[in-house]
């Protein structure tokens, strides 16, 4: 007889003849391990260097302009003919290939992506020139690294690259064979060796590899040039001191005809310009600054590496500066003479991030990330003497940026959200994302009149479709209500007229128990202060209340329907003291103010929606006020009894945003848009209904994002949200907060074996340990696995293990 006794949510004992197994999941309590960034939003245009292929065409990558918003590999001829070789799906083939490709000796193109379906940590891929793609390696986000940067092929035939981060957080240097066997040569430690490498390695004439790190080194942590042998011996060649020599050497190096190495720094230099430098370093580490960028028309912030032309001069680009601050192309002669050859005007491009490539015709070719006829970047040619020609403006496509509002968890298991900007006409987009990171472009708002502009958050309705509003656009430029299917079929349901039906719906919709959608507008209506409306799924709209200024007109937050069937909402002003109000609104248009707010310790100015928790009470937040004037969290009964639960002090966040969500563990979770003492980029927090408060994560404004706006709990039990800022290109992110405990599936018995399984979470390392009895404290490792979001199963042979105890630790 086989018996399975469940002891707890994370503990399971299995007893049957001759076999005893105890499985326990132990979770890491480290705060930073709770957070995972699953998607960075970015512009369409190419941001990588170009590679000259054997066919004399130029090959490059774009970050996000495929049909799925996941990027492309393209080929462009010297006459401007553009061919997309591969459009990434965001699935197992990867997403966001921002670092270009290299053509290896076997004729294939090799490159990296920074995200993909499994761990979301990136891939190495092989691509035939005709477009057949093979994923060679998927990073786990642990010891092997995450977010790989560019590849190069060394003389030994292997490919070498680096990752931006790893389990230690500082990145790695790796070797990968052309059939996908990866070896980590070095893990950065964040001390003198620094970390966060960004560009491609260089193989020197003596067979070693040289690279740069943007921080670290022995001279104050301003970055360094390092050397590593092919067997992993690491040393620093030069450390920047952050003064006249420059700081943050973002770009990689070149070895010039004189045998020395040349590069650029992103910042630093002479004077107060802090605009970057060009430098030379000898194989022995002797450093010479060759040029300090002046900013303005002299250019600033060179992100890309240099190229040396046959005339001996060095050529490069600055991302910023120039006559209109759209960047420059420059030349530095061997005698130190510096000249700007071209100022970008936006019409011919803007933001030349990827630098220059010397082609066989003797000319230099490059790309810009922005600008051109569609605003999505350009390809250009420039002669060594400065003759400039625009080859191609990249076409419009998906390029959503600046995600806003909370995500909507749909019944297909995916999350859906909106970006307030970007898309084919820069009017905003709708996207879908899976809990494993797979990304889909659902809709790009194309015209103000037919689609609307600046969508708000979505609601997943009972018919399986998504519904939302836009703040502006439509027939009267007063906003719209729309429906979109998960596969992208878009229908405009209503255009607000700026008359009695209202104007500018600043918040999303809620589906009520009667099946209809309810929402508010911020302007117009009978009293000029907005309306409350309901709309059928077919688009028939009825106004059932017009707000007046004295009761908090112009609502910013979406309504909620409570258990009593009435709707509850908040206002930024109005009430008896002008500081905002919480109100109840019945479906037949009867409004009752439950609580009026005034400037003071209880808080005021309410832009976040309310939450009805499992205890039946309403929970909400104020933007301002409280003990430090930085916002509050409160509880309110449906009869209006008020309790102040928490006042933000600054370090724990300020100006809470997006509303609260109650997770399945009973806690309330939320976000703040700022953080007074940590860069003002916001927090994720947890609060119990008794007011016990914990900061779970503080955003830095870097690749993790900044200014989050609300959370949602997905089917995997974890919390997901978006940030308005930050990410790889500073246009926002989607992130996950891990709160779900690991659980074991019931065991299966087959042919004398016991099969166990547990659901994994991406970028987590699971270690299964065993011991034969409880008389010893020693555990031995049975197996390890890197989580990829799928079910992991392992087999225990019962004839080999008559009695055994197992535990699983997660980190």
């Amino acid at each position: 007889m086989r018996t399975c006794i469940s002891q707890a949510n994370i503990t399971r004992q299995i007893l049957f003849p001759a076999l005893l197994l105890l499985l326990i999941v132990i979770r890491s309590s480290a705060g930073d391990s709770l957070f995972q960034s699953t998607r960075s939003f970015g512009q369409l245009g190419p941001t990588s260097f170009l590679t000259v292929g054997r066919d004399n065409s130029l090959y490059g990558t774009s970050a996000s302009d495929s049909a799925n918003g996941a990027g492309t590999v393209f080929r462009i001829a010297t006459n401007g003919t553009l061919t997309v070789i591969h459009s990434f799906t965001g699935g197992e083939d990867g997403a966001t290939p921002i670092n270009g490709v290299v053509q290896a000796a076997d004729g294939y193109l090799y490159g990296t992506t920074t995200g993909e379906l499994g761990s979301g940590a990136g891939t190495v891929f092989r691509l035939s020139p005709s477009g057949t793609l093979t994923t060679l390696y998927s990073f786990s986000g642990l010891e092997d690294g995450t977010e790989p940067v560019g590849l190069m092929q060394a003389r030994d035939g292997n490919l070498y690259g680096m990752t931006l981060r790893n389990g230690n957080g500082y990145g790695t240097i790796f070797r990968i064979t052309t059939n996908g066997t990866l070896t980590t040569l070095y893990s950065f430690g964040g001390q003198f060796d620094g970390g966060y490498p960004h560009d491609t390695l260089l193989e020197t004439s003596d067979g070693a590899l040289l690279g740069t790190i943007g921080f670290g080194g022995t001279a104050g942590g301003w970055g360094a040039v390092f050397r590593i042998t092919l067997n992993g011996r690491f040393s620093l060649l030069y450390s920047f001191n952050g003064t006249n020599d420059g700081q943050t050497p973002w770009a990689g190096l070149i070895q010039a005809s004189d045998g020395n190495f040349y590069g650029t720094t992103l910042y630093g230099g002479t004077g107060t310009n802090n605009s970057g430098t060009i430098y030379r370093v000898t194989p022995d580490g002797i450093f010479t600054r060759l040029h300090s960028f002046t900013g303005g028309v002299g250019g600033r912030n060179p992100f890309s590496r240099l190229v040396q032309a046959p005339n001996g001069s060095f050529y490069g680009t600055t991302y910023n500066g120039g006559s209109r601050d759209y960047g420059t192309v420059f030349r530095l002669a061997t005698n130190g003479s510096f000249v700007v050859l071209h100022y970008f005007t936006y019409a011919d491009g803007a933001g030349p991030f990827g630098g220059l490539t010397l082609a066989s015709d003797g000319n230099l070719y490059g790309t810009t990330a922005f600008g051109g006829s569609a605003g999505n970047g350009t390809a250009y040619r420039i002669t060594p003497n400065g003759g400039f020609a625009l080859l191609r403006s990249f076409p419009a496509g998906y390029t959503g940026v600046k995600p806003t509002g909370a995500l909507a968890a749909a019944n297909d298991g995916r999350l859906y959200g909106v970006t307030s900007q970007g898309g084919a006409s820069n009017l905003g987009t709708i996207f879908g994302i899976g809990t494993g990171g797979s990304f889909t472009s659902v809709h790009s708002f194309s015209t103000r009149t037919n689609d609307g502009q600046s969508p708000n958050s979505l609601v997943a309705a009972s018919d399986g479709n998504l519904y939302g509003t836009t703040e502006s656009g439509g027939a009267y430029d007063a906003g719209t209500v729309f429906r979109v299917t998960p596969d992208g079929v878009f229908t405009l349901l209503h255009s607000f007229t700026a008359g009695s039906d209202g104007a500018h719906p600043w918040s999303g919709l809620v589906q009520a128990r009667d099946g209809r959608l309810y929402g508010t507008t911020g302007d117009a209506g009978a009293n000029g202060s907005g309306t409350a409306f309901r709309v059928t799924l077919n688009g028939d709209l009825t106004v059932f209340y017009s707000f007046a200024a004295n009761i908090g007109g112009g609502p910013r937050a979406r309504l909620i329907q409570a258990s009593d069937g009435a709707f509850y909402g908040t206002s930024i002003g109005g009430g008896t003291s002008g500081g905002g109000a919480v109100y109840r609104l019945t479906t037949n248009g009867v409004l009752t103010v439950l609580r009026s707010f005034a400037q003071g310790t209880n808080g005021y100015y309410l832009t976040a929606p309310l939450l009805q928790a499992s205890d039946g009470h309403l929970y909400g937040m104020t933007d301002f006020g409280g003990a430090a004037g930085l916002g509050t969290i409160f509880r309110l009964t449906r009869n209006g009894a008020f309790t102040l639960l928490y006042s933000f002090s600054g370090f724990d966040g300020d100006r809470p945003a997006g509303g609260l969500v109650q997770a399945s563990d009973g806690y309330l979770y939320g976000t703040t848009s700022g953080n007074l003492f940590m860069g003002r980029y916001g927090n994720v927090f947890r609060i119990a209904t008794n007011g016990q408060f914990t900061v779970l994560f503080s955003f830095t404004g870097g690749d993790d994002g900044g200014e989050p706006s609300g959370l949602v709990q997905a089917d995997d039990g974890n919390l997901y949200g978006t940030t308005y800022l930050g990410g790889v290109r500073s246009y926002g992110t989607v992130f996950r907060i891990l709160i779900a405990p690991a659980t074991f599936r019931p065991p299966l018995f087959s042919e004398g074996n016991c099969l166990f399984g547990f659901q994994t979470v991406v970028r987590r390392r699971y270690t299964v340990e065993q011991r034969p009895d409880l008389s010893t404290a020693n555990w031995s490792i049975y197996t390890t696995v890197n989580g990829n979001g799928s079910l992991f199963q392992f087999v225990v042979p019962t004839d080999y293990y008559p009695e055994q105890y197992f535990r699983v630790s997660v980190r």
Side-chain angles (χ1 to χ4, degrees):
M1 177 180 179
R2 293 168 176 150
T3 305
C4 179
I5 303 173
S6 176
Q7 291 190 326
N9 187 33
I10 62 171
T11 304
R12 195 172 294 274
Q13 250 192 7
I14 297 90
L15 298 120
F16 52 95
L19 178 64
L20 175 64
L21 301 107
L22 172 67
L23 290 96
I24 305 173
V25 171
I26 304 172
R27 294 199 53 184
S28 167
S29 61
D32 59 356
S33 67
L34 292 169
F35 177 88
Q36 294 174 350
S37 180
T38 64
R39 169 77 184 185
S40 283
F41 292 87
Q43 283 292 87
L44 254 184
T47 57
S48 69
F49 62 89
L50 296 171
T51 292
V52 180
R54 295 180 184 175
D55 58 0
N56 289 323
S57 295
L58 302 164
Y59 292 84
T61 60
S62 62
S64 60
D65 62 343
S66 70
N68 297 300
T72 69
V73 179
F74 62 83
R75 177 176 60 238
I76 188 166
T78 54
N79 64 2
T81 302
L82 178 72
T83 304
V84 174
I85 302 173
H86 181 77
S87 291
F88 291 89
T89 66
E92 294 180 357
D93 62 344
T96 319
I98 63 176
N99 296 293
V101 293
V102 60
Q103 190 170 35
D106 60 9
Y108 286 96
L109 303 170
Y110 292 82
T112 61
T113 68
T114 61
E116 39 77 44
L117 178 63
S119 67
T123 68
V124 176
F125 64 84
R126 178 178 63 221
L127 182 68
S128 70
S130 62
T132 301
L133 185 138
T134 302
T135 299
L136 294 179
Y137 187 82
S138 292
F139 290 87
S140 70
L142 298 166
E143 282 80 0
D144 59 348
T146 180
E147 297 182 40
V149 295
L151 298 173
M152 54 80 65
Q153 187 174 38
R155 288 191 289 274
D156 64 2
N158 295 313
L159 302 166
Y160 291 82
M162 300 183 287
T163 65
L164 189 62
R165 295 180 181 80
N166 67 333
N168 294 327
Y170 300 105
T172 67
I173 303 171
F174 65 85
R175 174 177 61 233
I176 187 169
T177 66
T178 54
N179 63 8
T181 301
L182 185 137
T183 303
T184 299
L185 296 178
Y186 187 78
S187 292
F188 290 96
Q191 301 299 318
F192 80 93
D193 59 348
Y196 303 134
H198 283 94
D199 207 351
T200 308
L201 294 163
L202 167 72
E203 187 176 26
T204 63
S205 55
D206 64 358
L209 303 175
L210 255 62
T212 58
I213 47 176
F215 94 99
T218 58
W222 296 106
V225 175
F226 66 83
R227 182 180 186 273
I228 187 169
T229 64
L230 299 189
N231 61 6
R233 292 186 60 186
F234 181 94
S235 60
L236 294 183
L237 187 63
Y238 180 78
S239 293
F240 290 85
N241 59 39
T243 56
N244 292 342
D245 59 351
Q247 57 183 265
T248 314
W250 183 287
L253 299 162
I254 66 166
Q255 188 166 24
S257 56
D258 63 2
N260 295 314
F261 309 111
Y262 291 79
T264 61
T265 66
L266 191 57
Y267 306 110
T270 57
T272 59
N273 293 311
N274 198 33
S275 297
T277 67
I278 302 173
Y279 63 89
R280 176 180 64 225
V281 62
T282 69
D284 295 326
I286 299 173
F287 178 93
T288 304
R289 188 193 73 247
L290 301 176
H291 179 73
S292 286
F293 290 94
T294 61
V297 295
R300 60 188 174 92
N301 310 128
F303 272 95
S304 56
R305 60 183 181 267
L306 301 167
V307 61
Q308 188 178 31
N311 62 11
S313 294
F314 298 96
Y315 293 81
T317 61
T318 65
Y319 186 75
N320 298 308
S323 59
R324 301 184 183 181
D325 205 29
Y326 293 132
T328 70
V329 180
F330 63 83
R331 178 181 66 213
L332 181 71
T334 53
N335 63 4
S337 173
F338 177 89
V339 61
V340 174
L341 297 178
H342 183 72
Y343 302 112
F344 286 95
T345 65
Y346 196 86
D348 58 9
F353 190 87
L356 297 166
T357 296
L358 181 68
S360 57
D361 61 5
N363 294 314
L364 301 158
Y365 291 81
T367 59
T368 66
F370 313 105
S373 60
N376 297 318
T378 65
Y380 62 89
R381 176 179 62 233
I382 191 166
T383 68
N385 292 324
F388 182 91
L390 175 66
L391 292 180
R392 176 85 183 197
S393 287
F394 283 82
Y398 184 87
T399 174
V401 298
K402 305 292 187 183
T404 58
L407 297 166
N411 56 16
D412 62 0
R414 293 177 64 80
L415 304 165
Y416 292 87
V418 300
T419 67
S420 60
Q421 300 174 32
S425 302
N426 199 33
L427 302 175
T429 68
I430 301 171
F431 64 87
I433 190 166
T435 55
S438 60
F439 186 87
T440 304
S441 170
V442 177
H443 180 73
S444 179
F445 290 83
S446 58
T447 65
R448 289 177 59 88
T449 302
N450 297 331
D451 285 14
Q453 179 178 0
S454 300
N456 293 301
S457 58
L458 301 168
V459 59
S462 57
D463 63 357
N465 295 318
L466 304 161
Y467 294 81
T469 60
T470 66
E471 294 182 10
S472 56
Y476 303 92
D477 199 23
T480 68
V481 179
F482 63 83
R483 174 179 65 228
V484 65
T485 66
D487 56 1
V489 178
F490 182 92
T491 304
L492 182 68
L493 297 178
H494 181 79
S495 286
F496 289 94
T497 66
S500 60
D501 60 347
H504 309 307
W506 289 323
S507 61
L509 302 167
V510 60
Q511 188 174 30
R513 288 193 284 276
D514 62 9
R516 291 179 288 190
L517 305 167
Y518 288 77
T520 60
T521 67
D523 293 314
N527 300 312
S529 294
T531 64
F533 62 86
R534 57 175 165 258
V535 60
T536 68
L537 300 186
N538 292 323
D540 296 327
L541 186 139
T542 303
V543 172
F544 67 97
Y545 189 80
S546 289
F547 291 95
N550 64 343
I551 53 172
R556 261 67 170 175
R558 70 179 184 274
L559 299 169
I560 67 163
Q561 188 177 33
S563 55
D564 60 3
F567 295 96
Y568 292 80
T570 63
S571 65
I572 60 172
T576 57
S577 301
V582 172
Y583 58 85
R584 178 175 57 235
L585 182 61
T586 65
T587 56
N588 60 359
V590 177
L591 185 140
T592 304
V593 175
L594 294 181
R595 174 77 183 186
S596 291
F597 291 81
Q599 296 188 25
T601 56
N602 289 332
Y604 66 98
Y605 200 89
L606 290 72
T607 62
L610 298 166
L611 163 75
Q612 186 177 32
S614 56
D615 60 8
H617 298 317
L618 304 172
Y619 291 81
M621 302 187 291
T622 68
D623 289 33
F624 304 112
L630 301 175
T632 67
I633 304 173
F634 63 87
R635 178 176 59 231
L636 192 68
T637 70
R638 283 176 289 154
N639 294 325
F642 177 90
T643 303
L644 178 66
L645 289 180
Y646 192 78
S647 288
F648 289 93
S649 63
F651 185 80
D652 52 1
D654 70 269
R655 194 163 186 178
L660 297 164
V661 60
Q662 187 172 36
S664 53
D665 59 9
Y667 286 101
L668 309 180
Y669 293 84
T671 59
T672 66
S673 59
N675 187 318
L676 191 60
F677 304 116
M678 296 289 289
R680 303 193 66 83
Y681 294 114
N683 288 340
V684 178
F685 64 83
R686 178 183 68 212
I687 187 170
T689 55
N690 64 1
Q692 183 181 359
F693 183 94
T694 304
V695 173
L696 299 180
F697 185 78
S698 293
F699 291 91
T700 67
D703 289 347
D704 57 350
E707 297 188 16
S709 55
L711 300 167
V712 65
Q713 189 172 31
D715 289 346
D716 64 0
N718 295 307
L719 300 172
Y720 291 79
T722 63
T723 68
Y724 187 73
L725 302 174
V728 175
R729 290 292 175 263
S730 298
Y731 288 108
T733 67
V734 178
F735 64 88
R736 168 175 40 228
I737 297 292
L738 302 173
I739 65 168
T743 57
F744 289 103
R745 301 293 178 92
L748 300 175
F749 303 94
S750 175
E751 300 179 353
N753 296 324
C754 187
L755 181 66
F756 289 96
F758 53 86
Q759 186 71 30
T760 65
V761 175
V762 298
R763 300 195 194 181
R764 303 301 292 272
R765 170 66 63 86
Y766 296 80
T767 301
V768 181
E769 298 177 296
Q770 67 179 90
R771 65 184 185 187
D773 54 57
L774 297 178
S775 63
T776 175
N778 297 323
W779 293 85
S780 61
I781 295 178
Y782 186 78
T783 188
T784 60
V785 62
N786 295 324
N788 63 3
S790 64
L791 177 68
F792 173 73
Q793 294 181 316
F794 65 100
V795 177
V796 179
T798 59
D799 55 349
Y800 187 78
Y801 293 112
E803 181 176 296
Q804 202 70 205
Y805 295 82
F806 288 82
R807 71 180 183 184
V808 181
S809 61
V810 187
R811 66 178 181 88

